Amino acid sequence: MRITYLFRSPGTGHSIETLFATVRQAVGEQTGTAPDAVYLPHISRGLREVWHNLRFIRRQRFDGVIHVTGDVHYAVLALPASRTVLTIHDCIPLERFRHSPLRYAFFWLFWYYLPIRRAGVVTAISEKTRRDLRRYLGRIADKIVTVPNAVSPAFRPQPKPFSTEKPVLLQIGTAPHKNVARLLDALKNIPCTLLLLGPIAPGLRDRLRQSGIDYESYQHLDLADVVALYVRADVVTFASTYEGFGMPIAEANRVGRVVLTSAIAPLCDVADGAAHLVDPTDTEAIRQGIRQLIDDDVYRQQLIKAGYRNARRFAPDTIASRYREQYQRLIPHH
């Protein structure tokens, strides 16, 4: 069975491409042939770029199953429906444009409703995303199946002594929904070094200066450098107010780092008992959670052990097998 992964244009982002590089390798190991990778030529900034991408897709001669790996859902509209898999990561455009009727209607129709209706198989990366799609789209979303993300084999157990005097905290992501402002308030007067992975907007940079927190800022890192940040960390913080999945939880679990995250879906589902859960809107709860992870060695070790167990759910071979089941639905005679 020939499989092609269709990715958004290089320069749009890295997260989806990194996730599916792991799946692609695992599928290749299981089948003997890694899926082909095709990248769209244009970043989907406007209607013109979308149109050129659709024309590009129509010119391709795809054999076997075509898997649209995320973000550019509209690509399904130019593909043979009976051989197309679509993966949806989140509903952020629908959340973002709730109060802009025209934009909302455009994304609802061309990014979600029509692609989901057309694709032979649709997967969501979490039950939360699947439920959100059901809420936004109604019964048409009943066809969606959940297949979680896989943790890259670059993440592996790397135990280290915990630094209680001045722990290193790693925060993955700096966008508004990553809740960094409340994290900074929670860290007031807690000696630590904060590692921030993501661009620092001017307002956040001002908050960092005012906080007096010892911090380091990183962006545009390759996978090996990201792994190195996890290894260096004592605690991984991920108290987001909205997520489609929550990869840093599973990655920290795999490396053997204790995690503080939000008591909201899908983060609590991904953690499954292997993280300290807090109300992301409660600064004092975040503060108390961080203090407990620093001060309570027994509790910390329990979470780390639970994390190693939890990470097995996201092993690349497990996730690759689940995607292969979906591919077989489209070409059952192979």
Side-chain angles (χ1 to χ4, degrees), residues 23 37 104 128 146 152 156 186 189 196 213 218 229 231 256 258-259 263 268 270 273 285 326:
V23 176
Y104 179 91
K128 168 67 162 55
T146 301
S152 168
R156 55 186 179 82
N189 297 324
L196 290 164
I213 294 169
Y218 300 90
L229 291 182
V231 173
V258 72
V259 183
C268 54
V270 173
Q326 302 307 316

Side-chain angles (χ1 to χ4, degrees), residues 239-318:
S240 298
T241 55
Y242 179 91
E243 292 290 341
F245 187 74
M247 279 306 294
I249 300 167
E251 291 166 347
N253 283 170
R254 178 66 178 152
V255 175
R257 297 299 177 268
V258 72
V259 183
L260 178 137
T261 193
S262 302
I264 60 172
L267 302 179
C268 54
D269 302 325
V270 173
D272 195 24
H276 182 85
L277 303 180
V278 298
D279 177 352
T281 66
D282 186 341
T283 301
E284 185 57 30
I286 298 171
R287 177 180 177 78
Q288 290 177 5
I290 291 169
R291 281 258 56 121
Q292 185 175 359
L293 294 177
I294 294 172
D295 297 336
D296 192 336
D297 179 64
V298 173
Y299 177 58
R300 194 170 60 242
Q301 291 303 320
Q302 287 173 347
L303 289 180
I304 290 172
K305 287 179 183 177
Y308 285 136
R309 291 193 299 270
N310 188 47
R312 294 176 197 152
R313 293 195 292 147
F314 311 108
D317 57 342
T318 300

Side-chain angles (χ1 to χ4, degrees), residues 2-18:
R2 186 162 183 186
I3 305 161
T4 301
Y5 284 179
L6 186 65
F7 293 102
R8 57 194 176 175
S9 174
T12 310
H14 302 286
S15 56
I16 292 172
E17 293 69 23
T18 301

